[in-house]
Structures are given as C-alpha cells and as structure tokens.
Amino acid sequence: MSGQTLTDRIAAAQYQLTGSDMARGVCKATTHEVMAPKKKHLEYLVGATNATNVNIPQMADTLFERATNASWVVVFKALVTSHHMCVHGNERFIQYLASRTSLFNLSNFIDKTGSHGYDMSTFIRRYGRYLNEKAFAYRQMAFDFTKVKKGADGVMRTMTTEKLLKGMPVLQTQIDTLLEFDVHPKELNNGIINAAFLLLFKDLVKLFASYNDGVINLLEKYFKMKKGDCKEALEIYKRFLTRVTKIGEFMKMAETIGVDKNDIPDINYAPSSILESLETHMNGLEDVKGGKKGSPSKGSPTNNVSPTSTPAKSSNAVPTLQPPPGEAAGAAAAAAAAAPEPVEDSLLDLDPLSSSGPSGPSAAPTSWGDLLGSDAFSSPAPAAQTPAAQAPATADGGAPAPPPAAGAAAGDMFSSPAPNLSSTTPSKMDSGAIMNLFGEPAGAEATPLRPRAQVPS
C-alpha cells in the first residue's frame, strides 16, 4: 500500500472544513502510507504545541482517536507521532497525558488483515505500554527523566535519599517497559517501526544517563543510610546490574538502522567488588541488630563508653554502713581481727584468670534488683586495694565499714561464666581499665576507696 488512501483524503477534508488545522495536521501525519510520519507534518505539530492559542487536549484527543483505527499502520504512526510530541514538543503535551486517567488502550490490539500486520501488532502493544508508562512516570515524579539535567550537579545526583529511593524504582520500571519492545534486527523492515525504534533508542540513552547518575548518588549515600534504606538501595543496585547487559544489547542494535557507531555510548560494567562491599556492610548492620557481631558491647571491658543507664559517680557517693557510736571501738576491734573474705565473682574480679585482692567495703544489696538500682553498681570500684587501703583504723578513731555481707547476691548476678578477656586484654586489668568500664575518663588514675571516718557523736 503506497500513497494516501481515499479515507485519508476524506478525513483531512473534514478537519479542514471544521477549521481545525491542527487536527488536519494530525490526520496528515497518521495516514495509511507504510512509511514514517513526514517531517513537515511533525514539525508543524511541534510548533503548534508551543503556540498559546492551540488546544493541547484537542491535539492529544485526536491522536487517541487515530490510535483506535483498525489498521496497524495508522495506529503505529499515531503512537510514533505522540512519542515525537513528548520528546520535541512543549512540556504541556506530556503534562496533559500524565493528567489523564487512561491513555492508549492497546493491550488487545491485533490486525489480522495480513501476516505483516499480525507481526506489527505485537510491537504496537509494547509501544503503547511504554508511552503509558512514560506518562505515568511523569505523573509520579513531576518531571521527565529524559529531559532533566545530567552530570555532577544534575537532578539525580543532587536528589535526597528519600526522593532517590522513590524515584529509582519508577525509572527502573520505565526502562524495563522500554526494553520489553524486544525487537530483532530482521524485524526492523519498514519505516514506521524504524522510526519508533529510533525514538526508543534516544530515550534509552537519556534514561540510562539519569539511571547512572541515580546509582552514583545512591552509592555515595549508602553507608550513611539506615538499615531499611540500605536494604532497599542494595536491591536497586542489584537490579541495575541485571539491566546493564540488556541496555547494551539494545543500543548496539541501533547500528542496523543507520545510527553512527560514535553516537552509541560505550557501557563500562561495574566491578564485582562494589557489590561485595555493599553486601558486607548490609550483613554488618544485620549482625549488629541481631547481636551477632563480634564488636564490643555495652559493659564490655574493651568499651570505653560508659553505659548510659548507669552514669558514673564519685567515690564519695559510695554508701557505707556506720556502726552505732557506742559500738565504734568494738566494731573496730572485730574488723581488725577478722579480714573480709574475697568475693569470687565480684565486680572487681572481671577476669577469671587473674588473681585479685580482697574487695573494698561496699553496700550489701539483698537481691539482683537491689544491686542494679543501688548507687554501688554505678560507682567505680578499685581493682586491687593496697594494704594502706585495708587499714582498719582511722586518724580520729573512727571505725571502717563492715565487710560486704552479700557476696552471694553479687555472685548470683554474675553467675554466668565471666567473659574471657585474656585474648583482648592483659591477664590482670589495671585500675584505669575498670574506671573506663564504668564511665571514668580514659587514662584517669584509679584512687582506692578508703573507709569513711566516723565522727564521734
């Protein structure tokens, strides 16, 4: 079939009688001729989209009407013309398409008039889906991925994490729909499908540039994201790797329709080490949440940060039990005669391999809950007291605090095996390490607790 048919001439005459030159131009661009829409008709329609007195909805509705024709030629040319308007026309055209609830309903289109029409119907359905997805992406993002600024200061490189995680799946879906066109070189055998493929190729080049910018931005923000965002970003990057090969194959096919080889971008594949680094970081976040990571936890002797729930206090705040004034002398003699027994699992002896001296005086909680709630648990304790710190007498005759009587309670709290610190710390912990454990500044010298002097009444 060559030249305009009688139906084409009648339709053009009808639009001319109604005074709609724009509708007549649409009819001229979508004739039954098996050839791409003529350049002069496309240029006229592009210029019409930039005119202020042109009804954009009327132009789009005329194209939708032509897309309902029974001939695959008219329908295919209507799609090519619509795509050309989206790319080269005023942005008002694609804005109107994005505002519509329905666009090209061609999911069941088929032309059974001949074998050639039957084959082309498959590509018409795929092409219609892509144009619908292109308009939907504009509705989601309020911009066209093919027209945004590219590069280091482009839209996708400067996008925030929240918008990036929202926009990348939309962009991926649009690219997937374009790649579903899936045409082979031998099927590019007429001017209409060649024109459609060329428009798709130009879209893919621009979409991939935006896609690449988005992935770069994603990788730059990846190690600062939360765990949920990291998981989503990792899936986006994995999908990106699977699409790169298909994108390269689609672009190479452009040589078969006369695209210069220098106009086809070369795609460099990302090294596998990037994916390994991302997965390692993600696994680390999961291990931290599950408590499986081998990093020091709160309360560990290798952690210099004090637990937030038990702030450190000065040694003056350690509670002591004072004997009655009348029994001061007797208590002093009893304390001197019987030295306190060392507590095996006390707070002072965190290393089961090291030997520690007798513990200093402290309060005697009666249960685990009392021990956690008392100030004695949050106060720094000396590692091993010197003989001077164990002297029972004081300068003014006061009596020291009685020895701890709740060794069993402390032992219950630490009844589980103590952590083996021999692999990470010396066999004996110095006082500075214990002070760091309970929140004192690192490097501070531990001062042994001395018994508080009892003021005679």
Side-chain angles (χ1 to χ4, degrees):
M1 183 184 299
S2 61
Q4 296 184 22
T5 63
L6 180 62
T7 305
D8 296 331
R9 297 180 184 276
I10 293 175
Q14 289 176 345
Y15 286 123
Q16 187 173 10
L17 290 175
T18 58
S20 177
D21 293 335
M22 182 269 302
R24 180 175 176 272
V26 171
C27 185
K28 288 284 187 178
T30 57
T31 61
H32 285 76
E33 298 175 278
V34 185
M35 58 180 296
K38 292 182 179 180
K39 184 177 179 180
K40 62 179 181 179
H41 297 143
L42 294 177
E43 289 179 348
Y44 173 80
L45 294 175
V46 169
T49 60
N50 295 316
T52 57
N53 60 343
V54 171
N55 191 341
I56 297 295
Q58 182 184 3
M59 176 188 293
D61 291 343
T62 306
L63 287 169
F64 291 143
E65 180 183 349
R66 298 293 288 174
T68 59
N69 197 282
S71 172
W72 72 268
V73 178
V74 176
V75 176
F76 216 158
K77 293 176 76 170
L79 296 178
V80 171
T81 304
S82 300
H83 194 177
H84 190 88
M85 294 299 103
C86 291
V87 174
H88 302 285
N90 192 282
E91 193 174 3
R92 293 185 300 162
F93 185 83
I94 192 172
Q95 285 177 350
Y96 174 73
L97 296 185
S99 66
R100 288 178 58 97
T101 56
S102 62
L103 297 175
F104 299 102
N105 187 15
L106 300 171
S107 57
N108 297 320
F109 176 81
I110 187 171
D111 186 347
K112 298 180 180 180
T113 56
S115 60
H116 196 57
Y118 190 88
D119 295 337
M120 291 296 105
S121 297
T122 302
F123 299 106
I124 288 174
R125 293 192 295 269
R126 297 172 182 174
Y127 197 22
R129 281 198 299 269
Y130 170 72
L131 294 180
N132 291 343
E133 188 61 39
K134 184 179 180 72
F136 179 75
Y138 188 95
R139 183 193 307 172
Q140 293 289 102
M141 303 302 299
F143 61 80
D144 189 351
F145 285 108
T146 62
K147 294 184 178 181
V148 295
K149 186 177 180 180
K150 312 295 191 300
D153 57 344
V155 173
M156 299 301 293
R157 288 286 291 274
T158 58
M159 191 174 288
T160 61
T161 302
E162 182 181 358
K163 291 183 178 179
L164 191 63
L165 294 177
K166 173 189 175 183
M168 288 296 286
V170 177
L171 177 57
Q172 286 178 333
T173 304
Q174 185 175 347
I175 292 177
D176 289 345
T177 310
L178 189 152
L179 294 176
E180 287 176 1
F181 194 71
D182 194 24
V183 65
H184 297 283
K186 63 180 180 180
E187 295 169 325
L188 299 173
N189 51 19
N190 63 74
I192 304 176
I193 192 172
N194 289 352
F197 179 82
L198 189 59
L199 288 172
L200 291 173
F201 167 76
K202 292 179 179 179
D203 267 14
L204 184 59
V205 172
K206 298 174 183 178
L207 288 174
F208 182 72
S210 296
Y211 199 15
N212 191 62
D213 286 347
V215 170
I216 293 175
N217 189 10
L218 200 69
L219 295 178
E220 291 175 350
K221 292 179 167 61
Y222 181 80
F223 295 96
K224 300 178 183 179
M225 293 180 182
K226 299 178 181 179
K227 179 185 174 182
D229 294 342
C230 278
K231 187 175 182 180
E232 187 175 353
L234 181 60
E235 293 301 320
I236 291 175
Y237 183 73
K238 288 180 179 179
R239 290 194 292 266
F240 169 78
L241 296 179
T242 60
R243 285 160 178 76
V244 170
T245 303
K246 296 181 180 179
I247 291 173
E249 294 174 353
F250 193 98
M251 289 183 176
K252 289 181 180 179
M253 203 181 304
E255 296 182 24
T256 59
I257 60 172
V259 177
D260 190 83
K261 190 174 182 179
N262 296 327
D263 296 333
I264 301 175
D266 293 328
I267 299 178
N268 297 324
Y269 297 93
S272 58
S273 58
I274 296 179
L275 179 60
E276 294 175 359
S277 300
L278 300 182
E279 290 178 339
T280 301
H281 178 71
M282 184 64 200
N283 293 335
L285 294 179
E286 291 179 350
D287 290 345
V288 169
K289 183 177 181 181
K292 300 177 182 178
K293 192 173 182 181
S295 61
S297 58
K298 283 187 177 182
S300 170
T302 58
N303 188 2
N304 292 332
V305 181
S306 62
T308 56
S309 59
T310 57
K313 297 183 180 180
S314 64
S315 59
N316 295 332
V318 178
T320 57
L321 298 177
Q322 302 295 343
E327 301 176 3
E341 291 291 332
V343 181
E344 182 179 359
D345 290 328
S346 66
L347 287 174
L348 302 179
D349 189 9
L350 296 180
D351 189 350
L353 300 180
S354 64
S355 59
S356 60
S359 59
S362 60
T366 58
S367 65
W368 188 349
D370 294 339
L371 182 60
L372 291 177
S374 66
D375 291 336
F377 182 71
S378 61
S379 304
Q385 295 187 0
T386 61
Q390 300 174 8
T394 60
D396 52 0
D412 292 341
M413 179 179 178
F414 293 93
S415 59
S416 59
N420 187 0
L421 306 176
S422 59
S423 60
T424 58
T425 59
S427 60
K428 287 189 178 183
M429 295 180 58
D430 57 356
S431 59
I434 299 181
M435 298 297 283
N436 290 339
L437 172 64
F438 291 100
E440 292 296 329
E445 183 179 359
T447 303
L449 287 178
R450 297 179 183 275
R452 181 179 299 176
Q454 173 66 36
V455 180
S457 57

